[in-house]
Amino acid sequence: MLGCGVVGSEVAARLQSRAEALEERIGAPLVLTAVVVRDPDKERPGVDASVLTTDAEAAIDGADIVIELMGGIEPAKTLITRALAQGSSVVTANKALLAAAYGELMAAADDSEVRLEHEAAVAGAIPIIRPVGDSLAGDRIDRIMGIVNGTTNYILDQMDSQGWDFDAALASAQELGYAEADPTADIGGHDAAAKAAILSSLAFHAPVTIDDVHVEGITGITAEMVETAKDQGFVIKLLAVCERVTDSPAGAGLSARVYPALLPRTHPLASVHGAFNAVFVEAEAAGSLMFYGQGAGGAPTASAVLGDVVSVARRKVLGGRGQYERPFHPERRVLPISAITTRYHITLDVVDRPGVLAAVSEVFADEGASIELMRQTIGEVDDEGIQHAKLVLATHENTDAALSRTVDRLGDLDVVRAVASVIRAEGQ
Ligand code: NAP
C-alpha cells in the first residue's frame, strides 16, 4: 500500500480487522506486505509498524496488488506504471492522476493484462465506477449529472437552508473539516472537474482529461441568488455534467462541464443535503438511475477501496485476463461550452419605465434566443429619484454562445443598470 493517511489508515485497519471475512470472500488470505509513507516514525494506530517503509520500489516489487493512496501526480504515476508493468493489479483513489492520465494508465493495465480499479476516485463510498463501467456496459449512457463535491454541496445547502452568505457557509465548512485551509480546489470546481473527466472517459470510452472540462466554481453565488432561486422553486447546486451530444453547431461529440446551476426542487438531486454526494445517470434502456451516499472521508472511501481490492484479488485467485476498458475513441471530442445547449436565468436591475420589456425582448429576438418566463418586481428608488425594478428572465434552451451574447448585449442597454446575476438551469 502506497500512503497511509486519511484513507490509507482506514484501509490498513480494515484489512486487519476484517481479515477473516475478506479471506472468505476472496478464497485466499490478503497479506499487507508493505505500507509506504514519508515518515515511518509517525504514530499510526492500528497499523503494524514492521511493514512501514519509505522504499516504494522495493514495496511494489513482487506484490500481487498495489493500493495507491498517496495522491498527487508524482511519484504516484511512476509507481503505478511500474506496478502495472510488472503484472500487479492496482487499486487507486487518485482522482487528480486519473483525470490527467486515464487513457495512458488504462492502456498500461490492458497491455499487462491486469486491472486498474478506481471506484474511490469518484464520489467516495458511492458505487458509481462499477455501475457505469460494468453494470451499464450493455446499455448506452447518454448523460451523467452529479453532485460530486461534498464541500460545495455543504456550502450551497447552508446558504439555502440557513440564509447564510457564501463566506459564512465556507467558514462553517472549514470549521467542520469539510473544507481545507486552501479551499480553491473545491470552491473553484476543480475537484468536481477531475471527477467529470473520469466519469466521461469511462461512460463514453473517450480520453477526456481535466483540461477538456469547462469549469466554473461557486464563489460568485450570493445569498440573493439563492433567495431568488428559492422564490422560483429552484435550488442552486454545483453540478458535474457529462453528456453525449448528437447535434450541435460544432457537430457531434461530448460535453464535460462543471458549474453552479438551478435545479427544480422536485429533481432527485435537489434533495441531496449537507456534504453528501449523488450521481444521476440517464441511460437509453435503463432510464434514470440515482446513486447516493458519502462522497469523502476515511472510512467511506476505504469501503470503495476494499471493494476494489476484493474484486482484483478474486480475479487473481480464479485467474483470468484483466483490463479491457481502454478509452478507444479519440474522435469523440469534448465540445466547447459555446456549442452546448443550455438555459439561463438572468436577473437584471432595470429602470422602471415604459419600453424596458420591449428593449429586452428585442435583444433576445436579435440573437435568436427566446424567453420562457419573465417576472418583474418593483425595486428601490435610487439617489437620483429613479425607480428601479428587478427583472428575472428564464430562457428557453439555446446554445450557450447565443445566451452569453444576449447577456452581454442586455448589459449594454440604457435601461439596464446592472446584470445582477446569470446562472444556468438544469434538470427541467
Ligand atoms: P493524506 O491523508 O494526505 O495521505 C497521504 C499519504 O501518502 C500519507 O500517509 C503520506 O505519508 C503518503 N505520501 C504522500 N506522498 C508520499 C511520497 N512521496 N512518498 C511516500 N509516501 C507519501 O491523503 P488522503 O486524504 O488519504 O488521500 C489519499 C488519496 O485518496 C488521494 O488521491 C485523494 O484524492 C483520494 N481520496 C481521498 C478522499 C478523502 O476523503 N480523504 C476521498 C476520495 C479520494 P505520511 O503519512 O508519512 O505523510
Side-chain angles (χ1 to χ4, degrees):
M1 189 165 83
L2 310 176
C4 191
V6 174
V7 181
S9 57
E10 294 286 347
V11 170
R14 281 169 176 73
L15 281 172
Q16 203 173 62
S17 67
R18 300 190 47 74
E20 238 174 81
L22 291 170
E23 180 172 350
E24 241 173 62
R25 274 165 216 175
I26 293 163
L30 281 172
V31 182
L32 186 57
T33 51
V35 176
V36 179
V37 290
R38 273 179 300 218
D39 177 6
D41 298 325
K42 208 193 271 180
E43 194 64 25
R44 298 175 199 268
V47 181
D48 175 5
S50 69
V51 295
L52 292 173
T53 175
T54 55
D55 189 345
E57 292 181 358
I60 288 172
D61 288 346
D64 291 324
I65 303 167
V66 172
I67 308 171
E68 187 277 307
L69 298 170
M70 59 184 11
I73 306 292
E74 287 296 352
K77 185 178 179 193
T78 303
L79 295 171
I80 288 177
T81 307
R82 182 187 178 99
L84 294 172
Q86 72 167 14
S88 311
S89 281
V90 173
V91 173
T92 180
N94 195 332
K95 54 207 154 193
L97 176 56
L98 290 173
Y102 185 90
E104 185 186 336
L105 292 172
M106 284 298 168
D110 194 3
D111 290 343
S112 295
E113 304 190 3
V114 292
R115 308 254 339 150
L116 171 57
E117 298 287 0
H118 53 285
E119 185 63 71
V122 178
I126 304 175
I128 184 65
I129 295 297
R130 200 157 293 129
V132 168
D134 289 350
S135 318
L136 292 168
D139 206 335
R140 190 194 68 213
I141 295 176
D142 292 320
R143 200 166 199 268
I144 299 177
M145 185 157 77
I147 293 171
V148 291
N149 180 273
T151 309
T152 46
N153 200 56
Y154 173 82
I155 292 171
L156 293 172
D157 193 37
Q158 293 303 306
M159 290 175 78
D160 185 75
S161 61
Q162 309 295 323
W164 291 352
D165 65 15
F166 177 80
D167 290 338
L170 172 61
S172 166
Q174 282 171 321
E175 223 166 86
L176 292 169
Y178 292 145
E180 315 236 342
D182 177 2
T184 319
D186 291 325
I187 62 177
H190 311 293
D191 174 77
K195 293 160 183 172
I198 298 168
L199 284 174
S200 301
S201 300
L202 184 66
F204 307 128
H205 313 285
V208 179
T209 73
I210 192 165
D211 295 334
D212 301 317
V213 182
H214 174 84
V215 192
E216 294 172 33
I218 64 163
T219 49
I221 303 298
T222 62
E224 196 182 347
M225 287 168 79
V226 172
E227 207 46 47
T228 305
K230 220 172 176 177
D231 285 349
Q232 297 175 312
F234 293 100
V235 60
I236 300 179
K237 296 286 188 192
L238 182 71
L239 299 176
V241 183
C242 313
E243 202 171 35
R244 196 185 285 275
V245 178
T246 48
D247 188 24
S248 89
L254 306 174
S255 173
R257 53 195 202 262
V258 169
Y259 47 55
L262 298 172
L263 266 184
R265 292 187 101 87
T266 48
H267 192 282
L269 287 175
S271 57
V272 177
H273 298 292
F276 274 79
N277 284 196
V279 185
F280 192 75
V281 180
E282 291 167 51
E284 192 240 348
S288 299
L289 303 158
M290 172 126 138
F291 302 84
Y292 170 85
Q294 296 190 67
T301 308
S303 163
V305 170
L306 285 167
D308 281 350
V309 170
V310 169
S311 167
V312 295
R314 279 175 173 160
R315 199 171 291 257
K316 179 84 192 168
V317 168
L318 295 172
R321 205 182 180 290
Q323 215 67 22
Y324 50 83
E325 202 62 70
R326 249 178 226 251
F328 38 69
H329 287 286
E331 80 284 1
R332 289 185 189 162
R333 66 208 167 93
V334 177
L335 302 169
I337 185 78
S338 55
I340 301 305
T341 301
T342 54
R343 287 166 187 264
Y344 278 21
H345 280 225
I346 305 161
T347 305
L348 303 175
D349 174 3
V350 297
V351 173
D352 188 25
R353 69 167 184 242
V356 172
L357 299 186
V360 166
S361 303
E362 197 181 317
V363 171
F364 270 86
D366 259 16
E367 291 297 343
S370 59
I371 301 169
E372 187 191 17
L373 203 134
M374 180 155 22
R375 210 175 66 164
Q376 185 172 352
T377 46
I378 205 76
E380 292 177 356
V381 176
D382 67 20
D383 296 345
E384 292 159 26
I386 297 170
Q387 175 70 57
H388 286 231
K390 179 165 119 174
L391 197 59
V392 181
L393 306 159
T395 76
H396 279 295
E397 283 194 337
N398 211 311
T399 61
D400 208 85
L403 293 172
S404 158
R405 273 197 314 270
T406 304
V407 171
D408 287 348
R409 286 190 53 192
L410 288 173
D412 291 341
L413 289 177
D414 275 353
V415 291
V416 173
R417 288 300 156 99
V419 178
S421 68
V422 179
I423 186 161
R424 296 184 185 85
E426 292 283 348
Q428 286 173 294

